[in-house]
Amino acid sequence: MSFRFPDSFLWGGAIAANQVEGSHVADGKGLSTSDVQPKGAFGELVKRVPGDFNIKDIAIDFYHRYPEDIALFNEMGFSCLRLSIAWSRIFPNGNDAQPNEAGLAYYDKVFDELKQYGITPLVTLSHYEMPLHLAEHYQGWASRDVIGFFEKYARVVFERFGSRVKHWLTFNEINVTLDEPFTGSGLPRDCSEQTRYQAIHHQLVASAKAVKACHEIIPDAQIGNMMLGAVLYPLTSHPADVLKAQRQNHDWLFFGDVQARGYYPSYMKRKLAQLGVTIDITAEDEQALKETVDFISFSYYMTGCASADPKEQQKAKGNMLEMIANPYLDKSEWGWQIDPIGLRYLLNLLWDRYQKPIFVVENGLGAKDQMNAQGEIEDDYRIDYLNSHLYEVGEAIQDGVEVMGYTSWGPIDLVSASTAQMSKRYGFIYVDRDDEGHGSLERKRKKSFFWYQKVIASKGEALTKPIYTRS
Ligand code: BGP
């Protein structure tokens, strides 16, 4: 690519506490909602009993191996690492009077390690987990009390880490409660629409309060939102399909609209009325929501289609996020449809909509890796995927979109969020562990490691133009 990404562009990778750290009850940590989902975010919930198996209890042992892993990220040239704080390390029950010092001390060490290499941390306050106690005793985010608990947690970590952490995100994929209420909000899965939208409202208020606290406590920090960028195209040019796609995109853009504009959009008021949902929104909530995010961020893996035709809708039932398949796109081994051009489209859409800087904080290909006879992993499929997506980020920057950075998902193999598999690998770095928990946990550089290193060193010039069937 003849284009060079701006010098200020942040290059790196993204991980989440519950998918890498392990040590799920070490140093006073409380159980989190993730700890009772051994089969992943969409799998059954279990009651923990001594001796049971949850791959996340050890995960990839980042809790102890972070110095080695951060050194490898540095070797690739990362200028940024997105990671999350496990809320239950800081407040084991969520509503404790005092924070857990050992939990804070652990993240002190991690941030110091990053600082040593000049790697900018981008920290998510809540990535698909909350203290289990809050889910069990407060019905998760359905309770208004949780807003206060979250704000207290946010203030504690801003105070403690503010001198070293200047980039923050509130909730990972805040729109996920629409698809998975327990993972997103600690709600029972069979909760009513009324409960679901009330919980979402509380989360949006909590997010705004965290933004305010961040602005007060760390005036030179930037704090963003984070959405699952689930773009839908109309399946056909039939106007009813076009309208359907717009409506379905509104379902998730709603979150960005509230977080970036500071109030509920009119289309959502109509939708809630149609659903028969009446949200308790106080005058104080309305005031709180006015504190908007500094930047927009999202995860991007796939796109899908929308159709007003009931037959097409039926066919999509059971698909990830119930998206209708796009006949023009290939898919990953897990059925996620691969769409690099869609990333450029989405970046432009969000830029047009909000005129705020945008950070691509997750993108990547989950694939099974095989070692060749020499013990090497030649993951050209991953290189192809990332090359084409990054190329489109470069195109979007040239379109004029202000893109702050790109953190690919899972720069080191980690536990899959949706399925809790180790075999669904995203990394540039291989981790020797299988789905049953066997393996030495040893790290190994894949071919993509050296590729990403070159891309970063060349500020994107090493990217090659993807070949599409149409351009
Ligand atoms: C996002 C989550 C991540 C991550 C990623 C890949 O939805 O924010 O935590 O895991 O998806 O998904 P999976 O791990 O299910 O392949």
Side-chain angles (χ1 to χ4, degrees):
M1 183 173 211
S2 54
F3 172 72
R4 271 172 98 85
F5 284 56
D7 289 343
S8 59
F9 192 83
L10 291 167
W11 295 90
I15 57 177
N18 72 86
Q19 294 172 260
V20 297
E21 286 177 359
S23 299
H24 70 300
V25 287
D27 300 327
K29 178 181 173 293
L31 287 179
S32 78
T33 45
S34 157
D35 292 319
V36 297
Q37 294 173 287
K39 296 274 192 299
F42 292 86
E44 59 175 327
L45 308 180
V46 301
K47 223 174 171 58
R48 296 306 304 257
V49 291
D52 59 359
F53 177 72
N54 181 339
I55 195 146
K56 290 175 269 183
D57 293 355
I58 295 176
I60 61 161
D61 194 26
F62 184 80
Y63 196 72
H64 298 106
R65 293 170 191 251
Y66 68 88
E68 178 187 352
D69 295 340
I70 292 172
L72 286 164
F73 298 150
N74 178 58
E75 192 181 321
M76 269 188 281
F78 280 23
S79 48
C80 180
L81 179 70
R82 174 177 175 230
L83 68 168
S84 70
I85 295 177
W87 180 357
S88 62
R89 283 201 196 283
I90 313 301
F91 286 98
N93 295 297
N95 61 350
D96 315 72
Q98 295 300 328
N100 170 33
E101 175 54 34
L104 290 165
Y106 165 67
Y107 292 106
D108 270 335
K109 290 189 292 179
V110 174
F111 297 136
D112 285 346
E113 197 72 20
L114 290 169
K115 195 169 180 201
Q116 184 189 317
Y117 295 107
I119 298 176
T120 298
L122 168 62
V123 176
T124 316
L125 291 170
S126 175
H127 190 126
Y128 272 12
E129 58 178 336
M130 69 191 301
L132 183 61
H133 181 81
L134 298 182
E136 290 181 340
H137 297 274
Y138 289 82
Q139 255 212 358
W141 282 97
S143 163
R144 191 170 269 282
D145 293 341
V146 176
I147 301 175
F149 301 144
F150 183 79
E151 188 186 351
K152 182 170 167 185
Y153 155 63
R155 285 184 175 270
V156 163
V157 297
F158 293 152
E159 295 279 0
R160 177 76 168 229
F161 306 124
S163 63
R164 284 160 292 171
V165 181
K166 307 290 185 188
H167 294 78
W168 296 87
L169 299 173
T170 57
F171 294 92
N172 181 63
E173 296 188 341
I174 187 164
N175 45 323
V176 86
T177 297
L178 295 176
D179 301 294
E180 219 315 283
F182 184 75
T183 301
S185 290
L187 298 174
R189 285 191 168 142
D190 56 357
C191 67
S192 63
E193 291 291 314
Q194 173 68 40
T195 304
R196 190 192 304 251
Y197 276 102
Q198 187 67 49
I200 285 170
H201 173 70
H202 292 153
Q203 227 168 39
L204 287 166
V205 172
S207 173
K209 290 195 167 197
V211 171
K212 186 161 199 284
C214 184
H215 288 156
E216 280 167 17
I217 299 169
I218 329 172
D220 58 341
Q222 287 175 281
I223 181 161
N225 69 339
M226 197 301 200
M227 300 179 282
L228 194 171
V231 179
L232 289 159
Y233 305 126
L235 182 64
T236 72
S237 53
H238 192 297
D241 285 357
V242 176
L243 191 70
K244 183 83 182 181
Q246 185 188 54
R247 298 283 117 168
Q248 284 188 230
N249 284 321
H250 277 167
D251 287 346
W252 65 271
L253 284 167
F254 151 69
F255 293 83
D257 288 355
V258 176
Q259 292 178 303
R261 295 172 174 162
Y263 55 89
Y264 273 52
S266 51
Y267 63 78
M268 194 40 130
K269 291 186 183 156
R270 182 174 191 197
K271 173 163 183 157
L272 292 173
Q274 284 168 342
L275 287 172
V277 168
T278 313
I279 304 182
D280 171 32
I281 305 180
T282 66
E284 198 214 327
D285 292 350
E286 281 179 355
Q287 191 53 36
L289 289 177
K290 291 189 181 146
E291 192 82 18
T292 56
V293 289
D294 303 316
F295 66 95
I296 306 297
S297 87
F298 63 88
S299 62
Y300 182 84
Y301 294 92
M302 64 186 125
T303 54
C305 295
S307 168
D309 178 347
K311 285 198 300 298
E312 295 292 346
Q313 289 169 17
Q314 198 49 39
K315 274 196 253 162
K317 287 254 175 278
N319 283 352
M320 175 83 188
L321 307 179
E322 293 193 0
M323 287 169 159
I324 295 168
N326 187 328
Y328 299 104
L329 299 178
D330 291 334
K331 52 182 193 292
S332 78
E333 289 174 77
W334 275 264
W336 295 15
Q337 286 206 290
I338 300 170
D339 180 12
I341 295 174
L343 179 51
R344 176 178 176 186
Y345 174 80
L346 175 57
L347 282 164
N348 274 278
L349 183 153
L350 295 175
W351 176 246
D352 289 348
R353 200 172 181 94
Y354 302 124
Q355 295 279 297
K356 292 198 188 234
I358 309 178
F359 209 134
V360 183
V361 297
E362 282 187 36
N363 171 235
L365 178 72
K368 290 196 173 126
D369 290 330
Q370 302 292 342
M371 271 188 208
N372 66 18
Q374 290 73 45
E376 303 297 332
I377 295 151
E378 299 197 304
D379 52 344
D380 293 290
Y381 36 90
R382 185 168 292 112
I383 294 173
D384 283 351
Y385 180 101
L386 294 170
N387 176 74
S388 55
H389 284 77
L390 265 167
Y391 190 92
E392 297 299 337
V393 173
E395 290 290 334
I397 295 172
Q398 293 174 80
D399 292 335
V401 181
E402 198 180 318
V403 188
M404 297 166 68
Y406 172 93
T407 51
S408 75
W409 177 249
I412 181 164
D413 293 344
L414 40 67
V415 179
S416 152
S418 59
T419 63
Q421 290 168 295
M422 270 303 304
S423 53
K424 189 180 189 189
R425 296 175 182 275
Y426 285 87
F428 305 112
I429 303 162
Y430 184 85
V431 176
D432 180 24
R433 191 160 201 237
D434 67 15
D435 293 343
E436 284 74 48
H438 306 301
S440 64
L441 288 168
E442 221 170 89
R443 278 54 172 157
K444 188 175 176 56
R445 296 163 187 79
K446 304 181 193 176
K447 184 174 177 183
S448 55
F449 181 101
F450 303 101
W451 168 83
Y452 200 39
Q453 193 177 48
K454 267 201 209 104
V455 170
I456 297 175
S458 69
K459 296 199 166 72
E461 271 185 347
L463 295 167
T464 57
K465 190 172 166 52
I467 299 161
Y468 302 126
T469 48
R470 286 187 202 173
S471 52

